[in-house]
């Protein structure tokens, strides 16, 4: 294969076949994918969780991961947030003509590795190569599917009065890492993306505690936005204890320079767990037993104070709204 | 020194005591106004506002440089952004500020304008070098804190022989604006929290007129909760005694004469000019303009840009809010239709505007 | 827009200081062009838009804290 | 909403929510999507078919369809080619900052309409907005899932000696339509894309004829490439009767000017059906009874002449190889 | 690369003819700059790279066909 | 007239009769060579080749303009494509042609070059107008069929005052190349199928030397199966009679004098020059060069491009194939490593090359 990706590699012709067999099958190989049918044949049954995400992160390689591993983690996590065991994944690559083949191989290898680690098979895929300038380097879509193992499945509208709000670790690491790679921003932070597959931990959690009401990963928009979505859907108020929210000093420092709030920065390896008060200690115990949840802690409670809103109880003991942003200035973190 | 030490200025315990003292000492409403958007945000974000005694009335003055950037100035930079030769460079704060017909820089980018958000005006040097065939225009907005950084950038550009950098200079200075505000009879403020970082540059002397001419108190204050609480307690004491003072509480950063080198650099490049303030109007001598000796950088000259006053906004109560006559949520437009996503008046424009802070942080 | 943060000087090269922000390992570069005097390593600068505006005066900071404590004594 | 798509609409904040609720939910509305969870909860069982495709067609609006309807048809068809009833779909939008909102709405409406017509629910989605220049207008990924209703499912490696090769209608319509929209190509053809959802017809076909060996849609690379894939996987030879292959005169004409072969042009509403000889008449009958298969005909036979190859028997009665192209000159037809 | 196709003139504007290719409704534009004479509507052109190279001579075509048929007569 | 009428030239029934006649009349092998890539493709694509009697030996000459474009010419346009000022315009045929180190235009695009595939050279006028700050360079490749279209485009560009169009002129002419080929003693061909569309421009006279000088037959032929079969039958008859003729069988398109207007335009702009043919070498007078009066369009002059001969390719048997001494699949490199995706020699380069056609269409 040539040292750059050419349009021919997305043509459906011989060049496409070479790319698929020599690169994708090589790194993703499994019986179903290898058949190269229009669709994969899967055997599943009962209640399924299905989720999709497109990944357009810039830069495509960043401390702690790359677009390939991120594309696995993002989707595996979304499936697992439903109390499901992620089983199968599809991937759709859109590649810019001229992308170094070595970069593509690194990404595909990283994706294969992440999928094996998460225990999911990539069973079907699609590759498009578009003319130079029609896409920025590479975008990846992944769609995942898994078996839901609890009934009812955790859901964003299932938070209830009195529920404890837990977070699995520090917030803002991924968002600040991406910012730190931006040219022109003259800061350096010893921090890396938290991008990780949470499914093994999440499955353990719901198996032992099927009482979990909500699980959700605070990705784009960060903790604040995700909690606002949940309080909005569940019509409860989340009272958050600012001092309890774990934020790395490096992330705090980076945010102070840029005038940003870490609660709005993206995470790619954290989850919120909302469940009845009485199970919160047990949940924390399970979370902390896993390296991906070792900094887990309780950060708030669902109350009836301001239904639909998130209220931050500040370090001073004051209260203020933690609203949803209109948009954000920081593009392409996922 | 250490960061742990600096964190003492946020000590919750001491804050609580300050608040208790305040509650105990207050005899009647104390109406105070901060003149810096960073204070506005600090007071809301820390939760301090929710802890202040009812008798403390918190008002926000014309303290956000983005909010007071005049409609005509906004339209001028939006027009310029549409120019194909131009790469606009700007602080992120200006990206959502609306011009006429709902235009803003975010939409300009969507329409094909090249707009680059910079963290420091210094970044424009690199941008200019990387785009030798284009004109990089930096939108010079900000008070005395910021103006020297632009002046220094211009000096560096001249030194490096950069020919394709322009500054669209809309800088404004704080003391004369305060004077204009205070000269309004309707003003109803007991004391001022003065902008700490503006003062780091200009020192404390330019504010002395506040006590002398208007018999009001004013404190140069830092941005930590204790800084603010301490200043409020002082104002309570002074009012009890019937006194009015201008004092510097932010001595760790602010010297009496400020940063003379920065002031020098600022006035080497800029000179005072009459300026239009959004929501306020013309304030003689309250703006900065690029001196003739530096006109090679002057985007206004290059593009023949002039700034004219225009009719005030219908229904917007910003005038009353800036003067402390009304609170944001007393404006009938607040929240509907006026929101940060769709601001009607200047106070909703920037995240540091008083209406925007109310909208974003205040619990009902 | 007048946001400025304190940061500790950890190295200086020409007219630029590399400074630590907060207690973690995050650093930022700041131009010293506007400072009347050159800071020492370990001193704190107040940084705005990539420029150091002032060196933080430790004694004044301690004085302020003392007077704050004094103000509420006996409360 | 503004008249152009802004970065804010992909931020995960309020602007994103407005876009989702006012645009996507409005056109796609169904119970599962409306819950806006990280993943959709589906109830299925048994053998499932799952397929993904990214759509990057340029132009995004073309005679006979647009990228929204195409994104439904492409995936629905791939699922149905497995002998499955397509049930659910996900969609991932990647939108260029500055895309006219009216264009987006047209596309979303068209996608909603196509999904309803195909009888699939769009149950979860993802929207990214990337900076101007980072993508060319809009790309859409869809992933579909359906219940396989035959055992074994048709498969590309299941063609057998003696099988009849049927095509559901004229070939090259989509490819030539897209070429006809290209600036600079001074030809006009009264032809439109054949983009269509074939699932209702395909389901009828396999229900009545579970003996079908292979079903596949000759998209990118056209009839020739798809047949080469099948002969390669099944290790049989496809002898094709050139005169029997239906090609519109308009497509023939366009190809003659450009020096192209219609057998390599993409189709988006046609399928190949390969099945035992004795069922071919019945299959054609079923196909012709549906407007989408009215021009169906038999075009060839699987033999042992040149295993793995496709042989074209020309109008003159000659024989030649119908190979696979290295790549192709015609980018972004899907 | 010397590919050229016959096409029927359906309209002419200035030095450009719109021509029908094959029996369907596909048309192509061809410059007439290289043609010694202007074609009539309904005549056939041979088109290469956007230019008409020649007008097809119907009588010669018929002659050719006749001689082809003659050549195999009795075979 | 009608398309139905034209389709009679493909009548399968008559083709069969022609083939039967051929079989009947053939006494020994007839080795014929076509000199036009379009004929090569027509013979393979129609399936005609598989129907020809075994005694008919089909050989492909130097008839594809892409294949005979010299290695140095290919490197020259690849070098130029990398120039940032340049937008290359080209027929699609050249996109995959390999230069040294495996370079080609497709890879150049991936590396950032701007290359635009055009259907007609006329399209370059629009391209030049749309990109006034760039230089549009069209790669002028092709025989007499194509060269007049480029000449006409240059005339139009001058008329429209277009200043940023250049032609990288590598055009070649057929008759002298045939002469060179025939002068080789090793040549083993009984008769030639002459390029119909080249002849539409130059007429039939320039080929008369084939019979006169070399005593071989040659027929100007159309591209339909019957055109080709009829010509082969004639050659069989002539050989029987021991005659050699040059005749025109494509009279519906080709006049004795060709298209005099097109020839005039072609030679108004171009003049003959010695040219290097890939796989053959230097053939005096067999190329076209832009005349001094038109040098404002001359990319070779503008960029100082000269074309030098270089060593022939190792292992490639194209020389023998072009002369009819070997068939493509007799080359040890055929199929492995030499394929259309990864061509070693000229005959595998373009889809009209003889090795490429073998690879693409021939059944084992
Ligand atoms: S809410 Fe809006 S309209 Fe009302 S005062 Fe504030 S900015 Fe003006
Ligand atoms: S197969 Fe390749 S190497 Fe051999 S003669 Fe043909 S072009 Fe040359
Ligand atoms: Mg398919
Ligand atoms: Mg998702
Ligand atoms: Mg997600
Ligand atoms: Mg696909
Ligand atoms: Mg790019
Ligand atoms: Mg999620
Ligand atoms: Mg698919
Ligand atoms: Mg498909
Ligand atoms: Mg998503
Ligand atoms: Mg674009």
């Amino acid at each position: 294969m040539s040292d750059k990706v050419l349009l021919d590699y997305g043509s459906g012709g011989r060049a496409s076949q070479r790319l698929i067999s020599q690169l994708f099958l090589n790194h993703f190989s499994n019986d179903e994918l290898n058949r190269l049918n229009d669709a994969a044949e899967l055997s599943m049954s009962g209640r399924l969780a299905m989720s999709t995400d497109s990944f357009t992160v810039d830069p495509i390689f960043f401390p702690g991961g790359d677009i390939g591993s991120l594309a696995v983690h993002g989707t595996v996590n979304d499936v697992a947030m439903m109390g499901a065991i992620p089983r199968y994944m599809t991937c759709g690559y859109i590649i810019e003509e001229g992308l170094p083949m070595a970069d593509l191989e690194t990404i595909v290898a990283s994706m294969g590795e992440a999928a094996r680690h998460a225990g999911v098979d990539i069973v079907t895929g699609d590759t498009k190569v578009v003319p130079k300038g029609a896409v920025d380097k590479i975008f990846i879509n992944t769609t995942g599917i898994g078996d839901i193992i609890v009934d009812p499945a955790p859901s964003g509208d299932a938070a209830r009065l009195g529920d404890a709000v837990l977070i699995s670790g520090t917030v803002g690491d991924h968002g600040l890492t991406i910012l730190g790679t931006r040219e022109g921003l003259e800061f350096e932070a010893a921090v890396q993306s938290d991008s990780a597959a949470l499914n093994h931990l999440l499955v353990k959690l719901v198996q032992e505690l099927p009482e979990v009401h909500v699980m959700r990963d605070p990705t784009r928009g960060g903790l604040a936005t995700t909690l606002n979505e949940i309080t909005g859907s569940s019509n409860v108020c989340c009272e958050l204890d600012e001092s309890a929210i774990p934020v790395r000093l490096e992330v705090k420092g980076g945010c102070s320079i840029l005038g940003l709030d870490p609660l709005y920065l993206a995470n790619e390896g954290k989850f919120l767990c909302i469940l009845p008060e009485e199970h919160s200690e047990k949940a924390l115990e399970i979370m902390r037993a896993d390296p991906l949840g070792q900094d887990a802690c309780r950060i708030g409670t669902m109350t009836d104070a301001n239904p639909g809103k998130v209220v931050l109880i500040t370090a001073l003991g004051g209260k203020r709204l933690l609203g949803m942003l209109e948009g954000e200035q920081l593009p392409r973190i996922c | 020194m250490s960061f742990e030490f600096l964190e003492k200025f946020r000590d919750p315990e001491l804050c609580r005591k300050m608040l208790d003292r305040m509650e105990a000492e207050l005899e009647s409403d104390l109406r105070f106004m901060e003149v810096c958007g960073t204070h506005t945000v600090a007071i809301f974000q820390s939760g301090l506002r929710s802890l202040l005694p009812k008798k403390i009335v918190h008002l926000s003055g014309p303290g956000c440089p983005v909010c007071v950037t005049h409609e005509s100035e906004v339209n001028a930079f939006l027009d310029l952004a549409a120019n194909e030769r131009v790469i606009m460079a700007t602080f992120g704060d200006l990206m959502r500020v609306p011009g006429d017909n709902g235009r803003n820089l975010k939409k300009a980018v969507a329409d094909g304008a090249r707009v680059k958000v910079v963290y420091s005006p210094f970044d424009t040097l690199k941008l200019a070098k990387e785009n030798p065939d284009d004109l990089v225009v930096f939108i010079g907005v900000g008070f005395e804190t910021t103006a020297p950084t632009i002046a220094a950038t211009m000096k560096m550009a001249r030194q490096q022989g950069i020919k394709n950098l322009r500054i669209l200079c809309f800088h404004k200075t704080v003391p004369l604006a305060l004077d204009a505000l205070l000269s309004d009879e309707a003003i109803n403020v007991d004391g001022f929290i003065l902008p700490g970082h503006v003062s780091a540059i200009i020192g404390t002397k330019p504010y002395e007129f506040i006590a002398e001419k208007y018999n009001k108190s004013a404190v140069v204050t830092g941005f930590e909760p204790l800084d603010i609480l301490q200043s409020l307690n002082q104002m309570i004491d002074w009012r009890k005694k019937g006194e009015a003072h201008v004092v510097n509480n932010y001595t760790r950063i602010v010297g009496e004469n400020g940063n003379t080198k920065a002031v020098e650099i600022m006035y080497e490049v800029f000179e005072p000019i009459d300026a239009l303030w959004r929501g306020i109007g013309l304030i003689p001598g309250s703006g900065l303009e690029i001196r003739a000796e530096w006109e090679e950088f002057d985007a206004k000259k290059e593009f023949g840009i002039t700034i004219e006053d225009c009719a005030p906004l219908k229904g917007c109560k910003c005038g009353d809010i800036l003067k402390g006559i009304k609170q944001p949520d007393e404006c009938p437009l607040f929240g509907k239709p006026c929101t940060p996503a769709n601001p009607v008046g200047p106070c909703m424009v920037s995240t540091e505007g008083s209406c925007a802070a109310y909208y974003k942080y205040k619990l009902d | 827009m007048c946001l400025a943060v304190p940061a500790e000087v950890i190295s200086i090269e020409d007219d630029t200081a590399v400074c630590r922000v907060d207690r973690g390992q995050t650093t930022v570069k700041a131009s010293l062009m506007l400072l009347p005097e050159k800071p020492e390593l370990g001193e704190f600068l107040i940084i705005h838009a990539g420029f150091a505006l002032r060196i933080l005066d430790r004694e004044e900071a301690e004085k302020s804290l003392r007077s704050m404590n004094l103000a509420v004594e006996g409360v």
Side-chain angles (χ1 to χ4, degrees), chain B residues 11-281:
Chain B
D11 179 45
E13 187 58 22
L14 197 49
C15 280
R16 170 80 1 238
K17 286 184 184 164
M18 286 269 192
L19 284 163
D20 288 348
R21 180 187 188 283
M22 203 174 283
E23 191 81 67
E25 298 293 324
L26 266 173
E27 286 163 354
S28 61
D29 280 5
L30 179 89
R31 301 171 65 85
F32 83 97
M33 174 182 275
E34 84 276 340
V35 194
C36 173
T38 310
H39 273 131
T40 312
V41 171
I43 290 167
F44 276 101
Q45 209 170 38
S46 65
L48 195 57
R49 197 176 197 279
S50 68
L51 296 169
L52 291 175
K54 284 251 153 43
K55 282 183 177 148
I56 294 276
V57 181
H58 166 220
L59 308 163
S60 295
C64 161
V66 173
C67 291
V68 298
T69 297
H70 195 266
E71 293 94 322
S72 305
E73 293 173 332
V74 173
N75 287 332
F77 72 66
L78 289 172
D79 287 346
L80 203 49
N83 187 316
E84 288 192 3
R85 278 174 62 213
V86 167
I87 300 174
M88 293 304 277
T90 178
F91 292 127
D93 314 61
L94 293 175
M95 289 303 288
R96 276 184 231 276
V97 178
D100 48 17
N101 303 318
R103 292 192 292 166
N104 68 27
L105 284 177
K106 288 216 148 202
K107 293 181 187 169
V109 172
D111 283 335
R114 293 178 295 171
V115 180
K116 185 100 185 164
V117 171
V118 296
Y119 160 64
S120 162
F122 235 54
D123 300 340
T124 59
L125 300 177
K126 196 162 163 248
L127 195 59
K129 278 184 261 181
E130 285 170 355
N131 296 279
D133 298 333
D134 298 307
L135 216 51
V136 173
V137 179
F138 181 77
I139 310 174
V141 157
F143 296 147
E144 292 93 330
T145 321
T146 309
T149 68
I150 283 102
T153 302
M154 287 161 69
K155 281 174 70 101
M156 193 56 85
R158 185 179 274 185
Q159 199 177 303
Q160 296 181 2
I162 292 170
K163 303 273 181 237
N164 61 326
L165 176 65
R166 302 290 179 276
I167 307 297
L168 185 56
C169 183
F170 296 144
H171 291 294
K172 295 182 175 53
T173 53
V174 169
L176 285 173
L178 266 179
D179 198 354
L181 195 74
L182 279 157
S183 69
D184 190 318
E185 305 258 304
I187 195 96
N188 181 10
V189 174
D190 296 313
F192 291 90
I193 296 286
L194 293 173
H197 295 140
V198 166
S199 306
I201 304 296
I202 65 171
T204 55
K205 283 185 188 161
Y207 303 112
E208 280 169 4
F209 75 92
I210 299 175
E212 286 163 11
K213 188 169 163 191
Y214 297 103
N215 198 36
K216 306 252 182 207
S217 288
V219 191
V220 173
T221 304
F223 298 85
E224 301 291 356
L226 281 175
D227 289 323
I228 294 158
L229 289 169
Q230 163 87 332
S231 297
L232 291 177
N233 266 314
Q234 280 173 313
M235 286 191 215
I236 292 168
D237 295 347
W238 293 332
R239 195 180 53 177
K240 247 187 206 163
K241 295 189 222 161
E243 294 169 7
H245 298 281
V246 173
V247 303
N248 178 10
N249 269 352
Y250 199 26
T251 51
R252 63 188 188 276
I253 295 292
V254 176
E256 193 184 357
N257 297 312
N259 178 340
T260 49
K261 185 175 177 192
V263 170
E264 219 167 75
I265 289 175
M266 174 166 65
Y267 283 112
E268 182 185 342
V269 167
F270 300 121
E271 63 188 349
I273 186 186
D274 300 347
L276 284 166
W277 292 57
R278 186 176 198 153
I280 299 178

Side-chain angles (χ1 to χ4, degrees), chain A:
Chain A
M1 284 189 293
S2 68
D3 62 336
K4 302 248 169 106
V5 177
L6 306 179
L7 278 182
D8 282 347
Y9 290 113
S11 65
R14 278 179 206 281
S16 293
Q17 288 202 332
R18 277 203 303 278
L19 187 75
I20 289 168
S21 63
Q22 287 173 32
L23 189 61
F24 289 101
L25 290 188
N26 186 24
H27 289 286
F28 297 165
S29 181
N30 59 63
D31 289 347
E32 192 48 45
L33 182 68
N34 299 352
R35 299 180 75 190
L36 293 177
N37 269 328
D38 272 351
E41 178 175 338
L42 314 174
S43 187
M44 302 183 81
S45 73
R47 291 156 58 239
L48 308 180
M50 186 180 195
S51 183
T52 195
D53 264 315
S54 298
F55 297 83
T56 61
V57 63
D58 176 34
I60 56 177
F61 300 104
F62 48 82
D66 59 52
I67 193 171
S69 53
L70 184 66
V72 172
H73 298 155
T75 286
V76 156
N77 291 349
D78 276 348
V79 169
M81 297 298 156
M82 297 289 288
I85 302 175
R87 298 274 303 278
Y88 302 111
M89 233 173 68
T90 66
C91 71
Y93 275 68
I94 304 177
I95 307 168
E96 185 181 20
E97 175 185 27
L99 184 78
M101 191 61 81
D103 285 357
L104 180 60
E105 170 129 36
T106 306
I107 290 164
V108 173
S110 161
M111 189 166 194
E113 173 66 28
R116 273 187 298 281
H117 190 261
V120 293
D121 279 347
I122 299 171
V123 287
T124 187
D126 178 55
T127 308
K128 295 284 188 303
V129 181
V130 297
K132 206 168 181 89
V135 78
D136 188 15
K137 294 183 280 293
I138 183 168
F139 293 167
I140 300 175
N141 175 283
T142 49
T143 302
I145 187 162
D147 297 303
I148 299 177
I149 56 169
V150 276
D151 194 6
S155 176
D157 54 10
R160 294 291 172 265
L161 283 185
D163 279 359
V165 178
L166 317 180
I167 183 84
S168 65
T170 55
V171 298
D173 297 18
H174 179 73
L176 195 83
T177 301
I178 297 301
L179 273 174
T181 62
R182 289 274 188 279
E183 231 199 325
L185 286 184
E186 292 285 3
F187 81 92
E188 278 191 38
V191 62
Q192 62 174 38
S193 170
D194 57 350
S195 179
L198 299 166
N199 55 313
H200 301 306
L201 170 52
L202 290 167
V203 165
K204 207 191 305 166
L205 194 62
V206 294
Q207 272 170 340
E208 299 203 27
L209 288 171
E211 299 85 354
V212 167
H213 286 160
V214 185
M215 298 199 296
R216 197 165 274 193
D217 51 345
T219 53
R220 263 188 306 185
L223 182 72
T225 302
T226 304
L227 278 174
N228 268 284
E229 284 169 8
I230 296 168
T231 56
S233 311
S234 302
N235 201 33
V236 290
C237 173
C238 175
E239 295 198 55
L240 268 192
D241 178 1
E242 183 177 36
S243 319
I245 303 170
V247 184
R248 276 181 213 287
L249 290 169
E250 284 74 13
V251 173
K252 248 182 211 158
C255 283
S256 74
I257 301 164
L258 300 171
L260 299 173
D261 186 338
L263 306 188
Y264 292 94
L265 289 182
N267 309 281
E268 293 291 349
K270 300 291 153 46
F271 66 99
L272 282 159
C273 172
I274 298 169
L275 79 180
E277 170 78 49
E278 65 265 32
H279 300 296
S280 69
E281 275 313 315
K282 176 75 184 158
L284 285 172
E285 198 178 290
I286 297 167
M287 286 156 83
R288 287 177 186 150
D290 189 301
L292 293 174
Q294 64 188 13
D295 298 325
C297 56
R298 173 160 184 187
I299 56 172
T301 305
M302 292 301 182
T303 72
D304 58 0
N306 296 68
K309 299 272 160 77
V310 181
V311 172
L312 192 73
I313 298 162
T314 68
L316 290 188
K319 282 189 177 190
R320 66 157 169 105
L321 197 63
L322 184 68
M324 214 161 172
L325 295 186
E326 169 63 13
E328 65 168 67
Q329 308 269 16
L330 324 167
R332 301 171 64 194
I333 41 151
C334 62

